Amino acid sequence: QVQLVESGGGTVQAGGSLRLSCQISGSTFADPTIGWYRQAPGKERELVGSIFSGENTYFPPSMQGRFTMSRDSARDTVYLQMNNLTPDDTAIYYCHLASTIYWGQGTQVTVSS
């Protein structure tokens, strides 16, 4: 019954920004830890960042500086703000309920030159 639904993907020019949303339903916790991952064609899925129950976030070094995360607890939604996008950011982006088997269906992000 747990569901995660991503939205906000699309096509942008290099240097542009996107804000992705992940809406969570069915979780027993109001502010669960959520991870964002991405997978580009021919590449392995990689962690983009995580937001924890205490509102702290973690980003791998390659993601730091351009990406931020936040949540709207009233709407059970986590946001991934992506700035200064490059073509290397092109991928399908997924959100994941930490320590569970539950993933969203993914949302496509395409960054053109």
Side-chain angles (χ1 to χ4, degrees):
Q1 297 299 316
V2 175
Q3 292 186 336
L4 296 86
V5 180
E6 303 96 336
S7 61
T11 301
V12 298
Q13 295 285 329
S17 299
L18 283 174
R19 188 179 73 163
L20 307 184
S21 300
C22 174
Q23 186 174 32
I24 306 101
S25 62
S27 174
T28 60
F29 296 98
D31 298 317
T33 298
I34 296 293
W36 281 97
Y37 295 77
R38 70 184 184 187
Q39 188 164 24
K43 297 183 178 180
E44 297 182 0
R45 186 171 297 187
E46 65 176 340
L47 176 69
V48 175
S50 299
I51 185 166
F52 305 101
S53 297
E55 307 302 324
N56 291 325
T57 58
Y58 168 78
F59 296 93
S62 61
M63 310 295 177
Q64 294 176 5
R66 297 188 299 123
F67 295 176
T68 58
M69 293 178 65
S70 61
R71 69 174 4 120
D72 184 343
S73 296
R75 298 179 64 88
D76 294 324
T77 301
V78 168
Y79 302 99
L80 173 66
Q81 179 68 44
M82 305 188 294
N83 300 320
N84 195 24
L85 289 164
T86 77
D88 288 340
D89 296 316
T90 295
I92 301 175
Y93 286 71
Y94 302 88
C95 61
H96 173 240
L97 182 61
S99 302
T100 76
I101 63 170
Y102 298 110
W103 293 78
Q105 82 290 342
T107 185
Q108 177 71 49
V109 171
T110 302
V111 184
S112 61
S113 300

